[in-house]
Amino acid sequence: MAGKTSVAVKKRKRKNWWKYPVAVLIIFITILPLYVLIEMSLKRPTDLASRLSWPTYVYIDNYIKVLRDSNLLNAYKNTMLVTASVIAIEVFCGCLAAYPLARKQTRFNEVVRSVIMAVMMVPAVSVLVGVYSILVNLNGINTYWALILVTSAFGLPLSIYLYSNYIVAIPRALDDAARIDGANYFQCFWHIILPQLKPVTATVIIMKGINAWNDYLYPMYIMQKPKMYTIVLVIKQFFSESSTDLHGAAACCLLGMLPILGLYISLNKYFIKGAVDSAVK
Amino acid sequence: MKRKLKKSSMNLFYVPALAVMLVFIGLPLLNGVKLSFFKWNGYSQNMTWTGLSNYGDMFSDKNLRVSFLNTLLYGFGSMFLENILGLLAALFVNSRFKGHTAVRTFVYMPIMISSLVMGYIMYYFVQFDHGILNEILGWFGREPVDWLADASRGRILITVINSWQYCGTSMVLYLAGLQGIPDLYYEAAQIDGASVMQRFRRITMPLLVPAISSAVVINLIGSLKLNDIIISLTNGGPAQKTHSLSTYISYAYFRIERAGYASAIGVFMFAFILAVSMVANRYFRKREVEY
C-alpha cells in the first residue's frame, strides 16, 4: 500500500514539473518592476547603463536627497493621519449603521439598504464638480477634515455592507436575551454585537486602508498645498516636475510604497481573505 | 406609542453614516445636476443658465466621443483580460504543487501599489531613451519605438498594464469558487472517463458561474471608472486621444474650465455605470446554478 502511494506521488511529481518554471516566470514578472525601482534608486543619476543591470556600487544619495529635499516625511504624517481617521470613521459609523439594517427588516430599512448599495456604484469622479464647489464654499480645500470626510463617504457603503452581512449571521437570540435583561439597543450593540465583529473589522481596515493610502483623485484636488500632500502626491510631484531625476523618483516610490508592501507581505493571508469577503456585485 | 418610539430608536444608529454620505455624495450629486444646466468656468461668480445646451454639446464633442469609446475599451478590454488571467492564475494556484501560495501572494501583490504610482513605474519600461522595452527590442535588432506617442498603442498599454495589475482580484475570487467545488464531482467524472477538457467545461465552468459573475461585474465597473493610471501614463495624450470619461471630466473642469459641461458628463457617466451594473447583475442572476 505504502509503495503504491509513493508511486502515485512520484507520478504526480513528474507530471508537475512544468509548473515550477511557470511559477518562476509569474513571480519574475511581478518582481521586475520592483527590481527596476530598487536598482535605479541605487544608481548614480549619471549612470546610463542598462536599466536591467544591477549596479556594482551603492549610491544612497538618492534616498538622502528624497528625505532632505522633498516633503516625504511630512507626507507620511499626512497620509497616516488621513488613513487612520478614515478607517476609524468607516469602522465606527459602518458597524453602527449596519446593526439596525441587519436586525430590523422593515420596508423603510430595505429602502435605506438599497440606497446605500446604489451609492456604492457612484463613480467618485462623476460628482467631482459638485464636491469641489461645495468644499470651496465650506473652506474645505487644504484641510484634513474635508479629505477624511469625502474619502469616508465613498468608503462607507462597502463597510456597511460587510458589517450587515456579518451581523445577520449572529444569532438573534443573543440580542433578545440581553433585551429581556433590560439592556437598551446601544448596550445590546456594545456588549453583544461589537465584541464579535473582529474578523470583519480586519477586512474593513485592510480594504479601506489600502484605498485611503493609495487614493489619488480627491487628495489631488483637496490637498493643493505641498505642506498637505499625501505620499501619492509627493511621488507624482517627483515624476511630473523633475522628470529628469528618475533615480530620485525611484527612491521616493520605494519609500512611499514600502509600508503597505511590508504589511502585505507579512499579513497577506488576511489581505486575500479581505478581497474575497468584499467582492460585492 | 412609547414602545414604537423605542423600536425605531435603533434606526438612529445609521444617522451618522447617512449624514456623511448625504453631505459628501448626495448633495454634490444634486449640486452637479444643477451645475450641468449652467455655463460656468468653475470659480467666477458668473453663472449663466443654458438649459440643456451642455448635454447637447456632448453630442458634437469629438474628444468626448473618443473618451467614451476609450472607456468602453478600457472597461470591457480589462474585464476580459483580467478574467482570463485571473482564471488561469487561479487554476494554476489551485493545482497542487509546492510553492502555490507564493504564486498567489505575488499575483495579488501589484494591487497594493497605487495605480497612479504603477503608471509612473511603467515609465521606466516605456520611455523612449533607455526604456526597458526598447532595450529588449534592441536585443533583437529592432528600431526603438516611442510607445506613448501613438494613441492606439497608448490605449493598449493602459489596458494591458491595468489588467495585469488587477488580475489578482479575479484570481482570488476564482480560487474561492474552485475550492467550493466538491472533489467528488471530479472523481465521479473521472470514473466515467471524462477528459480534462470535458471536466473543465461540464463541471468547473458551470459551478464557477457565481465567481465569474462577481469577477465580471467588479472588474467591469472598476475599469469603466479607470482614471489614475491614465493620468500617470499618458495624461490623456497625445492630443486628448487616450482619455477615459473619468479623466476627461477632470480635464473639462480644471484644464478647459468648463465646469458645467464637466458636470453634465459626470451625470452621464453616473447613469451609464448604474445602467451597466444593473444589466450585468440581471444577466448573471439568471445563470447561477445550485449545487
Side-chain angles (χ1 to χ4, degrees):
Chain A
M1 192 66 203
K4 210 173 171 187
T5 47
S6 81
V7 168
V9 166
K10 256 187 198 158
K11 215 173 174 184
R12 205 171 70 208
K13 267 191 179 159
R14 213 175 308 139
K15 247 173 74 184
N16 273 351
W17 69 268
W18 61 272
K19 284 175 184 162
Y20 296 97
V22 174
V24 169
L25 184 72
I26 292 174
I27 293 175
F28 171 78
I29 291 172
T30 316
I31 295 272
L32 190 62
L34 272 181
Y35 165 83
V36 171
L37 278 186
I38 295 172
E39 52 85 5
M40 285 291 284
S41 72
L42 293 174
K43 279 178 182 169
R44 280 190 201 95
T46 49
D47 188 336
L48 290 179
S50 161
R51 280 187 190 157
L52 290 169
S53 68
W54 191 260
T56 50
Y57 55 90
V58 171
Y59 181 80
I60 55 163
D61 286 27
N62 292 320
Y63 287 93
I64 295 172
K65 217 179 74 193
V66 167
L67 291 174
R68 198 187 51 210
D69 298 347
S70 78
N71 42 13
L72 186 69
L73 290 178
N74 191 45
Y76 267 121
K77 190 197 79 190
N78 293 340
T79 312
M80 278 195 268
L81 181 74
V82 170
T83 306
S85 316
V86 166
I87 288 175
I89 291 178
E90 285 178 356
V91 166
F92 181 71
C93 294
C95 62
L96 206 57
Y99 183 48
L101 291 176
R103 280 292 185 252
K104 292 254 179 293
Q105 269 116 359
T106 58
R107 194 165 297 166
F108 181 69
N109 281 359
E110 275 309 302
V111 173
V112 172
R113 217 181 138 79
S114 30
V115 167
I116 290 173
M117 293 302 286
V119 169
M120 212 184 299
M121 291 295 138
V122 178
V125 71
S126 73
V127 291
L128 175 64
V129 186
V131 172
Y132 191 80
S133 56
I134 284 177
L135 287 180
V136 169
N137 287 332
L138 294 175
N139 286 324
I141 302 303
N142 288 317
T143 61
Y144 292 114
W145 64 262
L147 181 58
I148 291 167
L149 288 175
V150 170
T151 314
S152 309
F154 282 102
L156 267 171
L158 180 67
S159 139
I160 294 174
Y161 172 87
L162 287 170
Y163 277 116
S164 73
N165 276 359
Y166 197 85
I167 293 174
V168 164
I170 297 175
R172 202 181 280 252
L174 289 177
D175 301 41
D176 293 342
R179 294 283 298 154
I180 289 165
D181 290 346
N184 63 28
Y185 283 124
F186 189 75
Q187 285 169 326
C188 221
F189 172 75
W190 192 259
H191 295 293
I192 309 290
I193 302 293
L194 202 58
Q196 304 190 52
L197 296 179
K198 275 178 205 141
V200 62
T201 302
T203 297
V204 172
I205 291 176
I206 287 171
M207 300 312 285
K208 298 284 105 191
I210 302 170
N211 272 1
W213 188 274
N214 284 336
D215 199 13
Y216 161 68
L217 187 76
Y218 279 103
M220 167 76 194
Y221 293 117
I222 295 176
M223 302 309 212
Q224 296 176 355
K225 278 191 197 144
K227 204 180 76 190
M228 302 299 285
Y229 276 4
T230 59
I231 289 174
V232 168
L233 296 180
V234 171
I235 296 175
K236 180 190 158 84
Q237 186 188 27
F238 246 97
F239 277 95
S240 47
E241 279 173 19
S242 55
S243 58
T244 42
D245 184 15
L246 283 172
H247 296 77
C252 183
C253 260
L254 275 174
L255 289 177
M257 293 294 122
L258 208 57
I260 207 155
L261 281 178
L263 273 180
Y264 172 70
I265 295 291
S266 46
L267 298 171
N268 73 80
K269 216 170 59 190
Y270 300 96
F271 280 67
I272 284 170
K273 184 184 162 294
V276 175
D277 291 347
S278 52
V280 194
K281 295 183 265 180
Chain B
M1 185 61 205
K2 204 181 166 196
R3 201 176 144 69
K4 203 171 177 195
L5 240 170
K6 241 182 161 179
K7 249 196 162 154
S8 62
S9 74
M10 192 168 161
N11 284 352
L12 290 176
F13 287 8
Y14 53 59
V15 169
L18 286 185
V20 174
M21 289 194 279
L22 181 75
V23 174
F24 292 99
I25 302 179
L27 292 182
L29 200 61
L30 293 179
N31 191 26
V33 173
K34 187 195 95 187
L35 288 171
S36 73
F37 298 115
F38 286 87
K39 187 175 167 16
W40 182 45
N41 66 5
Y43 50 85
S44 80
Q45 299 294 320
N46 305 327
M47 285 163 72
T48 18
W49 170 268
T50 55
L52 287 170
S53 86
N54 280 327
Y55 291 93
D57 286 353
M58 286 169 62
F59 289 98
S60 54
D61 184 348
K62 247 190 206 153
N63 286 340
L64 180 69
R65 194 179 322 139
V66 173
S67 309
F68 181 63
L69 292 176
N70 287 343
T71 302
L72 295 181
L73 171 75
Y74 299 147
F76 286 91
S78 305
M79 185 265 279
F80 276 113
L81 267 179
E82 280 168 65
N83 274 289
I84 291 167
L85 291 176
L87 181 60
L88 288 176
L91 288 169
F92 184 61
V93 170
N94 198 43
S95 71
R96 291 180 202 123
F97 69 99
K98 237 187 200 166
H100 63 104
T101 49
V103 174
R104 188 189 66 177
T105 304
F106 279 104
V107 173
Y108 194 76
M109 195 168 75
I111 296 178
M112 296 303 123
I113 292 172
S114 140
S115 55
L116 184 90
V117 174
M118 186 57 89
Y120 287 129
I121 295 175
M122 287 302 145
Y123 190 63
Y124 295 102
F125 289 79
V126 299
Q127 202 187 6
F128 183 74
D129 294 316
H130 318 295
I132 288 170
L133 290 185
N134 280 343
E135 191 184 326
I136 294 174
L137 282 183
W139 297 346
F140 299 101
R142 300 282 184 84
E143 289 294 303
V145 173
D146 197 352
W147 293 93
L148 298 176
D150 174 59
S152 45
R153 222 162 20 218
R155 291 179 197 126
I156 292 172
L157 276 175
I158 288 169
T159 312
V160 169
I161 294 171
N162 176 54
S163 308
W164 164 73
Q165 189 183 357
Y166 286 97
C167 72
T169 307
S170 331
M171 175 195 69
V172 165
L173 294 177
Y174 285 129
L175 263 178
L178 286 172
Q179 280 154 8
I181 302 177
D183 279 342
L184 210 70
Y185 293 4
Y186 291 108
E187 285 160 19
Q190 207 164 7
I191 291 168
D192 289 346
S195 71
V196 175
M197 265 327 274
Q198 277 172 325
R199 270 179 277 160
F200 181 73
R201 274 197 42 212
R202 306 275 175 201
I203 301 175
T204 313
M205 284 310 268
L207 294 182
L208 221 49
V209 172
I212 297 175
S213 80
S214 316
V216 164
V217 176
I218 289 170
N219 290 334
L220 188 59
I221 306 294
S223 318
L224 285 174
K225 296 177 187 170
L226 202 63
N227 183 73
D228 300 3
I229 195 161
I230 303 171
I231 299 286
S232 53
L233 261 184
T234 64
N235 204 6
Q240 318 308 334
K241 279 190 177 139
T242 56
H243 277 296
S244 66
L245 283 178
S246 293
T247 60
Y248 197 66
I249 290 172
S250 309
Y251 172 80
Y253 188 9
F254 291 98
R255 282 291 170 75
I256 55 176
E257 299 187 340
R258 294 183 61 190
Y261 185 51
S263 311
I265 305 172
V267 171
F268 167 71
M269 182 181 170
F270 172 51
F272 174 67
I273 289 199
L274 207 60
V276 169
S277 66
M278 276 158 71
V279 170
N281 268 327
R282 184 151 307 165
Y283 175 82
F284 278 110
R285 198 155 298 155
K286 279 189 289 186
R287 278 169 179 68
E288 294 189 5
V289 273
E290 296 276 330
Y291 62 95

